[in-house]
């Protein structure tokens, strides 16, 4: 290690960075010249000149999502190089030490996807290597409180299974029972969490969701009274919901030879358990609606509630963003919009690609295509109930003779912000290269970093419109092909939920002493399609949130009793919130 550091000092001296020429010659001679440099692992190049190690930096422990505004990121690269980081709120840099280690503080763009590019740069010449790219989502917005499917109370069961929806890929925590319960939401937002109850007590259960960035939601509250004098309800195995199947099969366990009845579907159903208490029964569902199925032993009073949403309506074909063609990229970005949380399948490239749309229906991914040929991609969406759309199609021509278009990082869309910040880089950095953006409310331009090619540029959007932004690089009179970026601007709040198209069901529980799950169901056009519907109980506390269907219908439940005041709002994909609609729970 000592020898290597001495040789590096000699190289610095030879470059005129701290020692005179005589000193440099003495140190080089003492260390054995080029041979010593090679022994120390330093590339001298074919002509014996110093060649810095500009390999992409190696990073340690970078989170994919965080609620912290600033990250301290460590890594390694070549010794005594400048590390430049682009793609955050502003460019930042640091130096590696003699061993190549570094730590750099990066400020993130708030509540946005930050595509961070780490470059190793030889400061004396401005030469840089290929970047290491990591994507960090900044998110300091807490999820909505989880929704809760109806549960029966009082109950003779010592263990209950809670279910509902929350932010996809979040962690569910249940407290207030005999022991904490845990669960996770799927990438579609559904969860199940089992919790043990304290015997012969009112168990005031608190259910929270913590997202991948570490933000915790408000609690959804439900009180379940365990009464050991009551019979144990029927234990029903978990079922898929939503589903396009009709009928469905319920299975589970109960008392031996007991007759089991199921109501709440399109028609009543029943069966008899075997000698071990196992049962199986086919249930016909109400089509394209939420079904609150009540499962019980005939002659008994213990009820198990199973919520199953039926959906056999296929999504519309995805709407695709523009894609530049011809292109010299073999990994073009394919993005667009579809039904929220649908699974998007892209075929026709080198291999099939799958990606899940987010909770507002946006998706973006790269697809590999063959060189120097025309490729037609077919893009379909499959919803959570396994219904598949017709295909959207896009044709892309690859040509190695086409100049490289700028690489633009992902942007949030739709947005209510008047401006959007575009970040990215040009493939071949150099002096005097600028970025020009057309297609917004006005043209915008910015210079690129001459060593890394990185750029940051604010673009004013056309209000309440789809902005097809064309991003090109300009070097002298030479203009690159465009990179196309679609950003939808929307700052118009949805209309208030239509109370005339919303029905509030009969409250469960024990009146206002113990508020039970109360269905709140919206018909077609009750709210803006695909908006997030929030219902808050202003009298008794508690709330529930659910995504509306594309036709504006929705189904959820909230703890309530007769005469409670419910306040409903709808939030669209751009974050605009409607006026409030108030409704009173009937008896």
């Amino acid at each position: 290690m000592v020898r290597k550091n001495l040789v590096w000092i000699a190289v610095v001296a030879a470059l005129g960075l701290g020692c005179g020429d005589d000193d440099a010659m003495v140190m080089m001679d003492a260390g054995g010249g080029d041979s010593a440099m090679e022994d120390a692992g330093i590339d001298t190049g074919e002509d014996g000149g110093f060649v810095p190690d500009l390999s992409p930096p190696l990073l340690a422990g970078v989170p994919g999502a965080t609620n912290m505004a600033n990250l301290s990121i460590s890594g390694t690269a070549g010794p005594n190089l400048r590390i430049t980081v682009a793609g955050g709120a502003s460019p930042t840099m640091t130096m590696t030490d003699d061993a190549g280690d570094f730590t750099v503080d990066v400020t993130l763009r708030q509540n946005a996807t930050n595509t961070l590019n780490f470059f190793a740069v030889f400061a004396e010449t401005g030469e840089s290597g290929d970047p290491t790219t990591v994507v960090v989502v900044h998110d300091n917005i807490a999820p909505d409180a989880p929704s809760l499917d109806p549960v029966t109370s009082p109950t003779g069961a010592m263990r209950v299974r809670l279910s509902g929806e929350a932010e996809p890929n979040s962690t569910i925590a249940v407290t207030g029972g005999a022991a904490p319960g845990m669960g996770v939401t799927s990438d579609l937002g559904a969860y199940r969490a089992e919790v043990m109850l304290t015997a012969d007590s009112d168990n005031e259960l608190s259910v929270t969701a913590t997202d991948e960035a570490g933000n915790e939601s408000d609690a959804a509250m439900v009180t379940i009274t365990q009464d050991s004098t009551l019979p144990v309800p029927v234990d029903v195995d978990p079922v898929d919901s939503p589903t396009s199947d009709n009928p469905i099969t319920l299975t589970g366990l109960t008392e031996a030879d007991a007759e089991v009845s199921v109501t709440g579907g399109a028609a009543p159903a029943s069966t008899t358990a075997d000698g071990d208490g196992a049962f199986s029964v086919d249930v016909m569902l109400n089509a394209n609606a939420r079904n609150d199925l009540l499962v019980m032993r005939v002659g008994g009073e213990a009820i198990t509630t199973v919520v199953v949403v039926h959906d056999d309506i296929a999504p519309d074909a995805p709407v695709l963003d523009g894609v530049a063609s011809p292109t010299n990229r073999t990994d073009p970005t394919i993005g667009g919009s579809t039904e929220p949380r649908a699974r998007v399948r892209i075929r026709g490239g080198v291999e099939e690609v799958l990606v899940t749309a987010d909770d507002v229906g946006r998706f973006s991914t790269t697809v590999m295509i063959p060189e120097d040929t025309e490729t037609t991609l077919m893009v379909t969406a499959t919803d959570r109930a396994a219904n598949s759309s017709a295909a959207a199609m896009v044709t892309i021509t690859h040509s190695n003779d086409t100049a490289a278009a700028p690489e633009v990082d992902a942007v949030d869309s739709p947005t209510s912000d008047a401006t959007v910040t575009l970040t990215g880089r040009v493939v071949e950095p150099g002096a005097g290269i600028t970025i020009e953006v057309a297609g917004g409310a006005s043209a915008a331009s910015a210079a690129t970093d001459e060593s890394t090619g990185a750029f940051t540029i604010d673009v004013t959007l056309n209000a309440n419109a789809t902005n097809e932004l064309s991003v090109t690089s300009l070097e002298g009179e030479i203009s690159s092909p465009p990179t196309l970026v679609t950003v939808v601007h929307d700052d118009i709040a949805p209309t208030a939920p239509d109370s005339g198209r919303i029905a509030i069901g009969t409250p469960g529980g024990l009146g206002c002493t113990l508020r039970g799950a109360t269905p709140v169901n919206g018909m077609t056009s009750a709210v803006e399609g695909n908006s997030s519907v929030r219902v808050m109980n202003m009298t008794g506390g508690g709330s529930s949130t659910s995504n509306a269907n594309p036709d504006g219908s929705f189904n959820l439940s909230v703890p309530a009793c007769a005469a409670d005041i419910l306040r409903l709002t709808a939030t669209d994909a751009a974050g605009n919130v409607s006026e409030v609609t108030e409704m009173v729970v009937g008896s």
Side-chain angles (χ1 to χ4, degrees):
M1 180 63 70
V2 172
R3 183 182 181 194
K4 182 174 182 179
N5 289 341
L6 285 176
V7 173
W8 175 250
I9 295 171
V11 174
V12 172
L15 292 172
L17 301 183
C19 302
D21 292 343
D22 292 342
D23 294 333
M25 183 62 70
V26 170
M27 297 181 72
M28 289 291 288
D29 288 344
D34 289 349
S35 175
M37 294 178 70
E38 292 167 358
D39 289 344
I42 298 177
D43 187 358
T44 59
E46 293 182 0
D47 59 358
F50 171 65
V51 178
D53 178 6
L54 298 178
S55 301
L58 299 176
L59 307 178
V62 183
T66 181
N67 56 14
M68 299 174 62
N70 299 283
L71 288 180
S72 184
I73 299 175
S74 298
T76 59
N80 299 297
L81 298 177
R82 186 173 73 218
I83 301 297
T84 299
V85 186
S90 58
T92 187
M93 65 185 66
T94 190
M95 295 292 294
T96 62
D97 61 18
D98 291 346
D101 297 327
F102 68 88
T103 298
V104 61
D105 292 330
V106 179
T107 301
L108 301 175
R109 292 186 295 121
Q110 302 292 284
N111 296 306
T113 299
N114 294 259
T115 303
L116 305 179
N117 288 293
F118 290 72
F119 299 87
V121 181
F122 185 43
E124 291 307 300
T125 63
E127 181 185 2
S128 67
D130 293 332
T132 295
T133 302
V134 294
V135 176
V136 180
V137 176
H138 179 268
D139 174 13
N140 62 11
I141 301 173
D144 291 328
S147 69
L148 282 170
D149 292 335
V151 290
T152 301
S153 179
T155 180
M158 287 300 301
R159 173 182 57 84
V160 295
R161 182 184 298 117
L162 301 180
S163 60
E165 291 190 349
E167 185 166 312
N169 302 311
S170 59
T171 300
I172 301 296
V174 184
T175 57
M182 298 292 293
V184 294
T185 59
S186 68
D187 57 3
L188 302 178
Y191 75 86
R192 295 186 182 96
E194 292 191 349
V195 60
M196 296 297 297
L197 301 178
T198 300
D200 298 310
S201 299
D202 293 336
N203 292 259
E204 297 183 356
L205 303 181
S206 170
V207 186
T208 59
T210 300
D211 63 23
E212 293 179 293
N215 305 295
E216 185 178 37
S217 73
D218 290 336
M221 303 296 299
V222 61
T223 300
I224 302 178
T225 300
Q226 202 290 325
D227 185 346
S228 58
T229 66
L230 296 176
V232 175
V234 177
D235 187 5
V236 182
D237 297 328
V239 295
D240 292 332
S241 178
T243 180
S244 58
D245 295 339
N246 203 7
I248 63 169
T249 301
L250 296 183
T251 60
L253 288 172
T254 185
E255 295 174 358
D257 302 318
E259 187 177 357
V260 177
S261 71
V262 183
T263 58
S270 63
T271 191
T272 300
D274 64 20
D276 295 324
F279 70 88
S280 175
V281 58
D282 291 338
V283 179
M284 199 71 185
L285 301 175
N286 295 295
N288 298 304
R290 169 177 164 143
N291 293 258
D292 287 9
L293 304 179
L294 307 180
V295 186
M296 59 188 301
R297 287 181 293 273
V298 174
E301 296 180 353
I303 298 174
T304 299
T305 303
V306 179
V307 177
V308 183
V309 176
H310 179 263
D311 173 15
D312 63 7
I313 301 173
D316 293 333
V319 177
L320 302 180
D321 298 339
V323 181
S325 180
T327 179
N328 75 340
R329 295 191 58 172
T330 57
D331 60 343
T333 297
I334 305 299
S337 58
T338 184
E339 188 170 308
R341 291 183 276 178
R343 192 70 165 159
V344 178
R345 183 186 303 271
I346 305 175
R347 292 171 291 175
V350 173
E351 59 185 17
E352 185 176 284
V353 175
L354 292 173
V355 64
T356 301
D358 63 20
D359 57 5
V360 299
R362 291 291 301 172
F363 66 90
S364 179
T365 187
T366 57
V367 177
M368 296 301 297
I369 60 174
E371 293 187 8
D372 293 315
T373 190
E374 183 178 88
T375 300
T376 297
L377 301 177
M378 296 170 289
V379 186
T380 57
T382 301
D383 65 20
R384 299 167 62 206
N387 304 294
S388 293
S389 73
M393 306 182 77
V394 60
T395 299
I396 307 172
T397 299
H398 177 269
S399 172
N400 282 313
D401 295 330
T402 303
E407 296 180 354
V408 183
D409 301 330
V411 297
D412 293 329
S413 176
T415 179
S416 58
D417 295 336
T419 62
V420 63
T421 300
L422 299 183
T423 61
R425 61 186 290 266
V426 293
V427 176
E428 297 181 0
I433 301 176
T434 60
I435 296 294
E436 295 188 344
V437 182
S442 58
S445 63
T448 64
D449 184 283
E450 65 180 59
S451 62
T452 66
F455 63 85
T456 299
I457 183 169
D458 292 331
V459 180
T460 302
L461 301 174
N462 294 296
N464 299 303
T466 298
N467 292 257
E468 298 284 357
L469 305 180
S470 176
V471 185
T472 57
S473 61
L474 190 65
E475 185 174 7
E477 298 297 323
I478 302 174
S479 179
S480 76
T483 296
L484 304 179
V485 179
T486 301
V487 184
V488 176
H489 179 265
D490 174 14
D491 63 8
I492 301 174
T495 57
D498 185 351
S499 60
R501 307 189 68 80
I502 299 172
I504 300 177
T506 302
L510 299 175
C512 292
T513 302
L514 179 61
R515 287 177 165 84
T518 301
V520 181
N521 300 323
M523 297 181 287
T524 299
S525 301
V527 295
E528 182 175 305
N530 294 326
S531 62
S532 175
V533 184
R534 184 173 179 83
V535 180
M536 301 180 64
N537 188 328
M538 305 307 295
T539 305
S543 64
S544 185
T545 303
S546 181
N547 287 326
N549 298 313
D551 65 0
S553 62
F554 66 89
N555 298 279
L556 51 76
S557 62
V558 64
C561 70
D564 280 358
I565 297 174
L566 304 184
R567 180 171 290 178
L568 291 82
T569 56
T571 303
D572 65 20
N576 303 296
V577 183
S578 73
E579 296 290 333
V580 171
T581 294
E582 288 192 349
M583 300 181 69
V584 179
V585 180
S587 59

